[in-house]
């Protein structure tokens, strides 16, 4: 069966850049945008043009630079925002305006102090207005995760009539459970007239650590675009991580969902974003964290040395990581010490390894990790006491 394509909508430069401390100047954004295009993302959300003159310039320059991806600018359901976004996007090969409004009771009551009918009116008006400037108009129903499904379906149906090409169903507050979010997408597929003519998009936040799971549940239930950021950066606990979505779909081919991302560039792209944004990645982060392919316990190391697949479901080379790491700690066994010693030129006999291992444990109990320099010291010591030169 032929697999369906999931479009990757990258919002590193918009939702990701909103994070305190992640602000980038235009030059830095251009470098990241070029890399995202090369990586194979389908859409780059370049910014929120009306928010500042700097963001306007960034979106405009990205629109001129990007060759393959659609370039998208965010707006509120406000005419001025839409005009400014259209102006910023006018040089894009493939421009998209991303407009929308809050649809949950909480947003309608506290943000707008308006009625549901008024929200629908503003949503339709924003989409129709954006259509005067571009063909490709994505509509977001902010806080769709907490919006009543029947009302959400009504909003969606109305904006489709106004010309929306993509329907973004954001779990803005990261509230939904995967089952619930998946059911929401299915409900829209089953109940919204005209939905077969638009792309449904998932935009999930990570407040409960479920952003990626929710996006995948959305895709399984019919969404064909996932909005995400490199390293999962974004408001509060962040957005869906691009690298996670891409690798989940690659590692589970029976889902019949695939992306056009060149996965071998994932690690380098992650490094580029963390360095340019000054936003470190936790070591245990899936796919791109420093420990994602590092093994430190003796049992795991022994398995991985025998066959990598005993403890790894992804070949590190597939994401651009050179090789799995065998990290030497007090929990490591003889197999790991012999493996690492061999890598730096020491071929140990069984007796030499026994002696070396005793010395190794003294090092390992004193320090968190035993590095190559320590292994050289250990070998000198073994040479001295065993009088058998190590090859
Ligand atoms: O999280 C959200 O709802 C958003 C929208 C503006 C798309 O970022
Ligand atoms: Zn968001």
């Amino acid at each position: 069966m032929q697999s369906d394509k999931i479009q990757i909508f990258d919002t590193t430069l918009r939702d990701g850049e909103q994070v305190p401390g992640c602000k980038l100047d235009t030059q830095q954004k251009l470098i990241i945008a070029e890399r995202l295009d090369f990586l194979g993302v389908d859409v780059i959300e370049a910014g929120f043009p009306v928010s500042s003159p700097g963001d306007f310039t960034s979106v405009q320059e990205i629109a001129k630079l990007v060759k393959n991806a659609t370039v998208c600018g965010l707006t509120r359901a406000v005419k001025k925002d839409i005009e400014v976004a259209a102006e910023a996007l006018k040089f894009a090969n493939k421009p998209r305006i991303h407009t929308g409004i809050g649809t949950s009771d909480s947003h309608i009551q506290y943000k707008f102090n308006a009625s549901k009918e008024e929200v629908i009116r503003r949503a339709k008006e924003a989409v129709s207005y954006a259509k005067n400037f571009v063909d490709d108009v994505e509509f977001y129903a902010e806080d769709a995760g907490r919006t009543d499904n029947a009302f959400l379906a009504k909003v969606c149906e109305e904006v489709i009539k106004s010309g929306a090409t993509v329907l973004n169903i954001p779990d803005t507050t990261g509230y939904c459970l995967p089952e619930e979010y998946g059911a929401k997408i299915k409900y829209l597929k089953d109940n919204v007239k005209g939905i077969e003519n638009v792309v449904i998009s998932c935009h999930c936040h990570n407040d409960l650590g479920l952003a990626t799971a929710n996006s995948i549940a959305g895709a399984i239930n019919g969404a064909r675009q996932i909005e995400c950021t490199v390293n999962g950066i974004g408001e509060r606990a962040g957005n869906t991580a691009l690298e996670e979505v891409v690798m989940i779909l690659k590692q589970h081919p029976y889902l019949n969902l695939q992306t056009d991302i060149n996965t071998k560039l994932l690690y380098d792209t992650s490094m580029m974003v963390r360095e340019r944004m000054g936003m470190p990645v936790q070591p245990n982060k899936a796919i791109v964290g420093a420990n994602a392919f590092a093994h430190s316990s003796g049992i795991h190391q022994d398995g991985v040395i025998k066959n990598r697949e005993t403890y790894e479901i992804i070949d590190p080379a597939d994401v651009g990581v050179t090789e799995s790491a065998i990290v030497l700690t007090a929990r490591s066994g003889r197999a790991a010490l012999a493996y690492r010693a061999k890598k730096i030129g020491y071929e140990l006999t069984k007796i030499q390894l026994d002696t070396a291992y005793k010395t190794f444990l003294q090092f390992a109990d004193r320090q968190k990790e035993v590095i190559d320099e320590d292994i050289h010291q250990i070998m000198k010591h073994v040479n001295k006491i065993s009088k058998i030169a190590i090859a």
Side-chain angles (χ1 to χ4, degrees):
M1 192 168 125
Q2 234 217 320
S3 35
D4 268 7
K5 166 147 175 197
I6 296 293
Q7 306 218 8
I8 295 295
F9 174 116
D10 181 277
T11 184
T12 305
L13 297 175
R14 199 279 296 170
D15 222 335
E17 206 245 6
Q18 282 173 212
V19 174
C22 280
K23 176 107 192 61
L24 297 174
D25 61 24
T26 299
Q27 209 41 47
Q28 306 265 29
K29 285 193 183 178
L30 283 169
I31 294 168
I32 293 181
E34 194 168 35
R35 162 50 70 113
L36 292 171
D37 201 26
F38 189 51
L39 180 68
V41 308
D42 300 280
V43 185
I44 296 174
E45 187 162 53
F48 182 10
V50 83
S51 66
S52 74
D55 221 37
F56 177 90
T57 307
S58 298
V59 175
Q60 193 172 50
E61 294 306 314
I62 291 169
K64 288 182 196 159
L65 174 84
V66 167
K67 301 276 177 300
N68 307 304
T70 294
V71 179
C72 175
L74 185 80
T75 82
R76 294 165 295 180
V78 170
K79 281 192 171 164
K80 177 80 184 155
D81 286 26
I82 294 169
E83 287 159 16
V84 173
E87 179 64 23
L89 291 167
K90 77 175 176 208
F91 298 111
N93 270 345
K94 293 186 249 170
R96 175 182 296 177
I97 291 178
H98 188 191
T99 190
I101 191 164
T103 53
S104 64
D105 287 348
S106 150
H107 281 223
I108 295 175
Q109 184 182 346
Y110 301 119
K111 271 177 66 176
F112 311 125
N113 189 22
S115 65
K116 288 188 168 174
E117 291 66 37
E118 172 63 9
V119 164
I120 293 183
R121 192 192 61 74
R122 287 197 215 169
K124 284 171 66 93
E125 197 174 273
V127 172
S128 304
Y129 194 60
K131 286 296 268 193
N132 293 321
F133 303 96
V134 293
D135 288 335
D136 192 3
V137 176
E138 174 168 340
F139 174 79
Y140 64 86
E142 198 181 7
D143 206 13
R146 292 187 300 168
T147 300
D148 162 64
N149 283 349
F151 178 61
L152 185 60
K154 197 165 162 38
V155 176
C156 290
E157 202 163 298
E158 292 300 324
V159 296
I160 292 174
K161 281 193 224 152
S162 303
T165 46
V166 182
L167 282 184
N168 179 8
I169 311 300
D171 185 20
T172 305
T173 56
Y175 173 74
C176 289
L177 294 172
E179 218 174 58
E180 190 183 357
Y181 188 76
K184 192 175 277 290
I185 301 297
K186 182 164 172 12
Y187 181 90
L188 296 176
K189 271 206 80 100
D190 293 345
N191 291 284
V192 174
K193 231 184 271 152
I195 197 124
E196 63 285 0
N197 302 320
V198 302
V199 173
I200 304 177
S201 185
C202 307
H203 177 114
C204 297
H205 279 267
N206 206 30
D207 300 66
L208 291 172
L210 291 170
T212 299
N214 284 343
S215 298
I216 297 295
I220 289 171
N221 283 281
R224 287 294 173 266
Q225 176 177 281
I226 293 180
E227 310 200 357
C228 46
T229 59
V230 175
N231 301 333
I233 59 167
E235 285 276 349
R236 306 181 308 279
N239 287 61
T240 301
L242 180 150
E243 61 279 2
E244 293 173 11
V245 162
V246 168
M247 291 314 292
I248 288 169
L249 298 182
K250 185 173 164 73
Q251 299 308 110
H252 291 273
Y254 62 88
L255 291 175
N256 281 317
L257 299 170
Q258 120 284 329
T259 72
D260 284 350
I261 298 296
N262 178 353
T263 64
K264 292 196 162 44
L265 298 176
L266 285 173
Y267 184 70
D268 269 7
T269 306
S270 162
M271 289 304 284
M272 173 195 251
V273 168
R274 64 184 96 166
E275 279 159 18
R276 302 222 171 243
M277 286 195 159
M279 179 57 93
V281 162
Q282 75 211 54
N284 59 325
K285 168 79 184 61
I287 320 293
V288 293
N291 293 347
F293 299 100
H295 306 273
S296 54
S297 90
I299 296 172
H300 290 209
Q301 291 176 330
D302 184 49
V304 170
I305 290 166
K306 287 174 178 146
N307 184 324
R308 193 188 56 72
E309 287 182 14
T310 52
Y311 288 95
E312 279 182 0
I313 56 152
I314 297 171
D315 182 343
D318 278 354
V319 299
V321 172
T322 340
E323 58 177 353
S324 320
I326 298 292
V327 182
L328 294 179
T329 70
R331 301 293 150 264
S332 301
R334 285 173 175 69
L337 176 60
Y339 173 85
R340 283 280 302 273
K342 191 172 174 189
K343 276 204 162 267
I344 54 169
Y346 301 103
E347 193 80 60
L348 303 177
T349 65
K350 181 159 182 329
I351 297 169
Q352 286 165 337
L353 179 58
D354 283 345
T355 315
Y357 189 65
K358 278 189 201 126
T359 316
F360 161 78
L361 285 179
Q362 288 165 9
F363 272 74
D365 272 340
R366 275 201 307 269
Q367 55 203 55
K368 283 190 178 152
E369 194 183 325
V370 174
I371 59 173
D372 287 352
E373 190 46 46
D374 302 320
I375 300 176
H376 289 303
Q377 294 296 324
I378 293 167
M379 295 312 151
K380 266 193 208 150
H381 182 70
V382 175
N383 259 337
K384 221 190 287 166
I385 61 163
S386 72
K387 300 195 178 56
I388 313 164
I390 295 168

